Amino acid sequence: MGKKLFIFFIALATSVAAAAQMTLRDCLLYAREHAHAARIARIEANKARADHGIALAAALPYASFNVGGNMSFGRNIDPETNTYGNQKTVASNFGLGISIPLFDGLVSINNIKSASMATSRLKETAQAQADEISMAVVRSFYNVSYCRAMVAQMEDALARDQKTLEATRRGVDLGNKSEADVADVEALVASDVYELTNQQNLLAKAYMQLKADMGMEPDDEPLDLAEEVSDNDKLQTDRAFVHPEVKAAEYAYRESVYSLRAARGAFSPTIQINAGISTSYYKMIGSGIAAPSFSRQWHNNMGQYVGVSFSLPIFTGLASVNRVKRARLNLEQSREALEQKRFEIERRTAEAALDSSAAADELEAAKKRLDAEEKAYKATSRRYELGSASAIDLYTSSAKLSVARATAEGKRIQLIINNIILSYYKGVPLI
């Protein structure tokens, strides 16, 4: 009973969450967690952290414990007398060794620093990928808003033209309208039905695109979205903001610096300390001689060693030389990539500012055009009712009004998107 009740509450909570309205922020948060590209980027960052751990481990002392055993048959050396005999002998050996690196030309340290830069680079890359996904969600979210507005507009236009059609048919009965007028208005209504169907299909595709950008399972169910009211005229600025792509390029450059230092360090000698202990245990089978206990042999046969090793590379087949050349080329490439990325982000910021300013001007012009087309349609509709305008004039005026409304709504949506993009490039987080 308790399990059924628990399942019921889970299902209820899920249905309530699904029924709740989703704002743009909700969509962005969902996409950050579920979009496949964002999840892959986070995995790459985690892999870089694992590589950093591997680089750290390479600079630590190395300890190992080994065990070996064998059974000898036939003629072999008697471990007791060190002479040949025909006894069967069971022997085992145990050893514990440690190696401590003292100097390796700072290769390990530079590898650690390079791995640390790679971790930071992929972290910023993951952030840039998440921001790119958020940009796509912003565009898809407001594309849904635009398509919903277009559907509502066509529904209003269809209802308006149907009323006009009914009035025209009544005019035929009264004798002030002709059947040709009815046919023209019917064509106008049919055009409205077609456009409404087209806009509904575009809305369904917009919902599907938004779900795809968010990482949701594609289905035919629309999302209940709530467009938030924002002040588009007040853009914030964070002067200390550095774009994640620029940060990633900076970390890539520093990673190349440390990689070059590590490659040069391969020409240096390496020094390490080695120490360990070892012991052995043996037993002769069938000799009738009692073997000493394991603990006694462990103590009596134990040996220790301590040593220092010094290695100086003289010739490695030019592999180290070519690694240095490659590391130097990678450094030059990363330096150019950093400058290119800085230039690209500056260009994007300038374009975003230009687009935002242009969208504001175009929206004002679109509003004026819409106001003029609404007045013109009202005048044409009144003239049509009085018989001084034809159905063709009404159709033309209606089409112009629809285009003006669509343009005004499109410019409103574009201004919102452009301001969000401009704010992002000026340092305002998308979430």
Side-chain angles (χ1 to χ4, degrees), residues 220-240:
D220 297 333
E221 292 297 326
L223 297 173
D224 188 6
L225 303 179
E227 184 179 334
E228 297 170 304
V229 178
S230 59
D231 189 353
N232 297 323
D233 296 329
K234 296 181 180 180
L235 300 179
Q236 305 177 40
T237 301
D238 182 3
R239 297 186 180 276

Side-chain angles (χ1 to χ4, degrees), residues 33-295:
E33 295 298 324
H34 297 87
H36 296 292
R39 294 165 66 178
I40 292 173
R42 286 196 295 269
I43 293 174
E44 291 293 334
N46 292 333
K47 287 170 60 179
R49 280 192 285 270
D51 292 338
H52 184 226
I54 293 173
L56 282 171
L60 298 177
Y62 174 77
S64 64
F65 176 75
N66 59 81
V67 178
N70 65 79
M71 179 178 288
S72 301
F73 300 92
R75 186 174 177 81
N76 56 74
I77 296 177
D78 186 342
E80 182 68 25
T81 62
N82 202 30
T83 60
Y84 280 97
N86 291 317
Q87 296 90 356
K88 295 180 180 179
T89 304
V90 176
S92 59
N93 56 78
F94 307 86
L96 177 63
I98 185 171
S99 176
I100 304 175
L102 295 181
F103 181 75
D104 63 351
L106 301 180
V107 172
S108 298
I109 293 177
N110 285 311
N111 283 336
I112 291 172
K113 291 181 178 179
S114 178
S116 177
M117 293 298 103
T119 301
S120 300
R121 172 175 59 82
L122 288 176
K123 180 180 178 182
E124 295 299 331
T125 300
Q127 180 63 47
Q129 182 66 52
D131 290 343
E132 184 177 345
I133 292 170
S134 296
M135 289 290 190
V137 171
V138 167
R139 293 185 177 93
S140 297
F141 180 91
Y142 283 105
N143 186 41
V144 170
S145 296
Y146 174 77
C147 291
R148 288 166 60 180
M150 291 301 97
V151 169
Q153 174 186 321
M154 293 313 304
E155 288 175 345
D156 292 341
L158 177 60
R160 179 194 66 209
D161 292 336
Q162 284 177 337
K163 290 181 179 179
T164 302
L165 177 59
E166 294 174 0
T168 303
R169 285 172 176 168
R170 289 195 299 268
V172 172
D173 297 336
L174 296 175
N176 55 7
K177 296 294 181 184
S178 65
E179 291 294 336
D181 293 329
V182 173
D184 289 336
V185 179
E186 286 178 345
L188 178 58
V189 171
S191 177
D192 292 339
V193 172
Y194 168 77
E195 288 297 334
L196 176 60
T197 303
N198 182 48
Q199 292 298 331
Q200 288 172 339
N201 291 331
L202 292 176
L203 176 59
K205 290 182 179 180
Y207 275 121
M208 189 170 294
Q209 183 62 49
L210 175 59
K211 290 181 179 180
D213 292 335
M214 292 170 57
M216 278 187 173
E217 292 294 330
D219 53 42
D220 297 333
E221 292 297 326
L223 297 173
D224 188 6
L225 303 179
E227 184 179 334
E228 297 170 304
V229 178
S230 59
D231 189 353
N232 297 323
D233 296 329
K234 296 181 180 180
L235 300 179
Q236 305 177 40
T237 301
D238 182 3
R239 297 186 180 276
F241 171 74
V242 179
H243 196 279
E245 293 183 17
V246 175
K247 285 185 179 180
E250 290 175 349
Y251 285 124
Y253 171 73
R254 295 168 64 183
E255 179 185 354
S256 299
V257 171
Y258 291 123
S259 296
L260 177 58
R261 292 177 182 177
R264 289 172 175 169
F267 293 98
S268 301
T270 58
I271 304 173
Q272 63 180 12
I273 296 178
N274 302 308
I277 57 174
S278 62
T279 187
S280 61
Y281 170 83
Y282 64 90
K283 180 179 181 181
M284 291 180 290
I285 301 175
S287 64
I289 301 175
S293 64
F294 177 80
S295 60

